[in-house]
Amino acid sequence: MTEPDKAPGTRRRFGGLRLVVAVAAASALAAAGVTALLVNIMERKQEAKNPFYRVVELDDTITDPAVWGKNFPLQYDSYRRTVDQQRTRYGGSEAVARTPTQADPRSVVAQSRLEEDPRLVTMWSGYAFAKDFREERGHAHMLEDQVFTERQHVTQQPGTCIHCHGSVYVPYKKLGDGDLIKGFEKMNQMPFMEARKLVEHPVSCIDCHDPTTMQLRVTRPGFIEGIAALKASQGVPDFKVNEDATRQEMRTYVCGQCHVEYYFKGKEKRLTYPWAKGINIDQIMAYYDEDGHTDWTHALTGAKVLKAQHPEFEMYNQGIHARSGVACADCHMPFQRVGAMKVSDHQVRSPLLNINRACQTCHKWSEAELLSRAETLQTRTFQTRNLAMDALVDLIHDLERAQKMGTPEASLAKARDFQKRAQFYLDFVEAENSMGFHADQEAVRILGNSINFSRLGQNALRPQSGAPASP
């Protein structure tokens, strides 16, 4: 046989060998791929079984979030991002540069609300907020912003303020020799700067989590007492929040420890949430009427008035999300997937900056549509807020003139009482940080009542029928 006759058979043998090699290689790659997949699945299952790694032992005395972060690096990483400043249309804040001084070392602050709307200075005339009031910043700034606000130079603030501006659980326990409530009572009566020396951090992990089980817990005495008073008004006596609340309720209650309306009761400056009659504004107003508490005397009119604080918890409870069982954390700290683990985002912020995870879990519309709907509600609230603000300023100026004209004291007293109500109702929406989104219909109702109170106050200053007009 000639050499050329052998070539086709040889080629066939080599072709078969290559096929065998290719199949073997493909099988090896497939096996490697399946093995890698199985290893990955096993790793993810193991991650899911072990949601954290115990690098350090945590106990009930560790306030530093960085220590907790060694066991919970994902949560700590997002917690650290609360330093960020980002504005939404009606909230958040922009970073405003300032020159540090010895008295105030901050190089960045939020924009001044007083400069944005000078009518606020008129509303709060004679009160520290007329001196300094800025847009809110994240939790990382909550302590330093309270320390360095110019309001500290206007009035002697009590240690009570630390309750919602610092990690107070351990300091309270130390002051009270292990008794949380006794420590709370002692710190309330201290000057603010003295109490500040006892606190090392802004809100920290220990304020909301049990260090052994990581379960949510309430550590702020103001809320412990306030929610018990609220539940009692609803026919539930002896409510113990850390024993009786559901897990989903706790995902709101830990936020409600601080995002609430409050006042300093008596010479002891005891932090008190005015919920003994209920939690909506009419019930809170009725509580203040009965208690007789007012925050200051208005410098322009002499009216004894109230300053609303930040009643997010109260307003949220009047809205559709609360009625639907949605917790604060569902929208402001939504879950995120990291590998096999589902963790709560601790960069507490506006849902409008995180629509995909905060809103679209439930609402199956586009981000643009959801943002538009939210901003429409807020715009309508803001427009009504401006009408209420104009009405209140008109009443204040009318009262100024009436005092100079010798209007009868009975008429002045009636108008001043309407000013107190108009001002508190307006401030309830102004101080609440959702611009009506938490309960849009309730917010507009409150502002409508504020406008009515202002106009009733103006009417009280008019000469009564048959009475001679003031000269």
Side-chain angles (χ1 to χ4, degrees):
M1 184 181 295
T2 62
E3 195 65 32
D5 293 331
K6 297 179 181 178
T10 303
R11 284 196 295 269
R12 282 194 296 272
R13 286 196 298 273
F14 279 113
L17 181 60
R18 283 196 295 268
L19 178 61
V20 170
V21 171
V23 170
S27 298
L29 288 172
V34 170
T35 301
L37 177 61
L38 291 173
V39 169
N40 184 266
I41 290 172
M42 291 299 294
E43 288 177 346
R44 294 293 178 260
K45 285 185 175 181
Q46 197 62 30
E47 285 179 3
K49 289 179 180 178
N50 297 284
F52 70 94
Y53 297 97
R54 193 178 300 277
V55 178
V56 297
E57 289 295 328
L58 298 173
D59 59 39
D60 219 26
T61 66
I62 299 174
T63 61
D64 188 351
V67 177
W68 288 64
K70 293 179 180 180
N71 286 359
F72 302 95
L74 299 174
Q75 291 87 341
Y76 180 59
D77 180 64
S78 58
Y79 164 88
R80 292 180 65 192
R81 295 178 191 173
T82 61
V83 298
D84 292 348
Q85 290 183 245
Q86 189 172 356
R87 189 167 178 79
T88 62
R89 186 171 182 181
Y90 292 104
S93 60
E94 297 168 355
V96 177
R98 69 176 297 278
T99 302
T101 64
Q102 187 173 358
D104 183 353
R106 294 176 299 172
S107 59
V108 174
V109 293
Q111 67 271 28
S112 170
R113 291 291 306 282
L114 303 180
E115 293 176 4
E116 290 180 340
D117 190 344
R119 293 174 297 180
L120 293 169
V121 177
T122 301
M123 179 166 75
W124 295 325
S125 180
Y127 201 53
F129 276 82
K131 177 67 174 177
D132 184 24
F133 178 54
R134 297 181 178 275
E135 281 285 11
E136 62 279 2
R137 297 205 290 170
H139 285 164
H141 303 288
M142 60 190 284
L143 182 55
E144 66 171 356
D145 283 351
Q146 184 66 17
V147 170
F148 297 115
T149 176
E150 292 180 46
R151 296 194 297 273
Q152 294 285 3
H153 305 296
V154 177
T155 185
Q156 179 68 56
Q157 293 191 339
T160 317
C161 297
I162 293 287
H163 183 278
C164 290
H165 287 276
S167 182
V168 293
Y169 174 72
V170 172
Y172 281 164
K173 296 275 280 187
K174 287 181 179 178
L175 268 179
D177 295 324
D179 189 313
L180 184 73
I181 301 300
K182 287 183 178 178
F184 163 69
E185 293 169 342
K186 287 183 179 180
M187 191 178 289
N188 287 342
Q189 299 180 57
M190 291 181 176
F192 177 86
M193 291 304 177
E194 182 180 339
R196 169 65 184 88
K197 297 174 184 177
L198 305 177
V199 176
E200 298 179 0
H201 302 281
V203 64
S204 184
C205 315
I206 197 170
D207 297 299
C208 301
H209 291 280
D210 183 289
T212 302
T213 65
M214 298 304 132
Q215 292 297 313
L216 292 174
R217 65 177 181 180
V218 169
T219 58
R220 299 292 200 271
F223 189 89
I224 292 171
E225 296 178 350
I227 196 68
L230 174 62
K231 291 292 186 178
S233 75
Q234 298 169 344
V236 183
D238 302 319
F239 184 79
K240 294 178 175 58
V241 63
N242 287 314
E243 298 175 14
D244 300 332
T246 67
R247 180 178 182 276
Q248 184 68 353
E249 286 176 327
M250 291 298 284
R251 299 179 76 239
T252 286
Y253 288 170
V254 291
C255 304
Q257 294 184 91
C258 295
H259 291 266
V260 292
E261 162 63 5
Y262 64 84
Y263 75 105
F264 302 154
K265 188 177 182 67
K267 60 181 177 57
E268 299 83 11
K269 302 295 183 182
R270 189 186 191 88
L271 187 71
T272 304
Y273 299 173
W275 298 345
K277 291 181 175 294
I279 205 170
N280 72 40
I281 190 170
D282 304 314
Q283 295 163 330
I284 292 172
M285 189 76 248
Y287 173 93
Y288 282 136
D289 284 341
E290 182 178 295
D291 182 78
H293 171 80
T294 55
D295 287 308
W296 88 101
T297 299
H298 198 275
L300 301 178
T301 66
K304 295 185 180 301
V305 287
L306 295 159
K307 172 72 184 78
Q309 304 306 327
H310 25 67
E312 287 85 37
F313 180 77
E314 292 89 344
M315 189 71 83
Y316 147 86
N317 269 286
Q318 310 309 313
I320 186 64
H321 287 93
R323 298 296 177 89
S324 301
V326 178
C328 302
D330 289 323
C331 304
H332 293 275
M333 301 176 66
F335 289 114
Q336 56 185 344
R337 180 69 65 178
V338 182
M341 291 186 289
K342 185 177 75 170
V343 299
S344 186
D345 184 354
H346 282 61
Q347 186 184 359
V348 186
R349 54 182 166 158
S350 168
L352 301 183
L353 299 173
N354 192 16
I355 290 175
N356 175 255
R357 291 203 303 267
C359 308
Q360 289 181 313
T361 301
C362 298
H363 302 289
K364 306 305 181 183
W365 291 277
S366 70
E367 290 195 25
E369 170 66 15
L370 292 171
L371 179 62
S372 176
R373 291 188 185 191
E375 289 186 342
T376 296
L377 295 176
Q378 291 179 314
T379 296
R380 291 169 179 167
T381 304
F382 185 69
Q383 291 170 342
T384 310
R385 171 260 189 201
N386 281 334
L387 296 175
M389 188 71 74
D390 285 340
L392 175 64
V393 170
D394 287 346
L395 171 59
I396 289 171
H397 291 327
D398 284 357
L399 262 166
E400 284 187 279
R401 286 190 289 270
Q403 291 173 131
K404 295 175 182 177
M405 293 170 61
T407 299
E409 186 57 36
S411 297
L412 292 174
K414 191 173 183 180
R416 287 172 181 144
D417 185 68
F418 280 125
Q419 180 194 342
K420 178 180 77 172
R421 298 172 193 284
Q423 190 157 316
F424 184 63
Y425 274 60
L426 167 58
D427 205 9
F428 205 84
V429 176
E430 176 68 20
E432 201 269 337
N433 284 306
S434 76
M435 191 50 71
F437 181 79
H438 284 147
D440 57 302
Q441 294 186 30
E442 174 70 357
V444 171
R445 180 191 77 85
I446 291 170
L447 292 170
N449 280 338
S450 174
I451 294 169
N452 186 50
F453 288 138
S454 290
R455 299 314 182 196
L456 288 172
Q458 288 179 295
N459 190 57
L461 295 173
R462 294 176 180 173
Q464 299 302 306
S465 178
S470 300

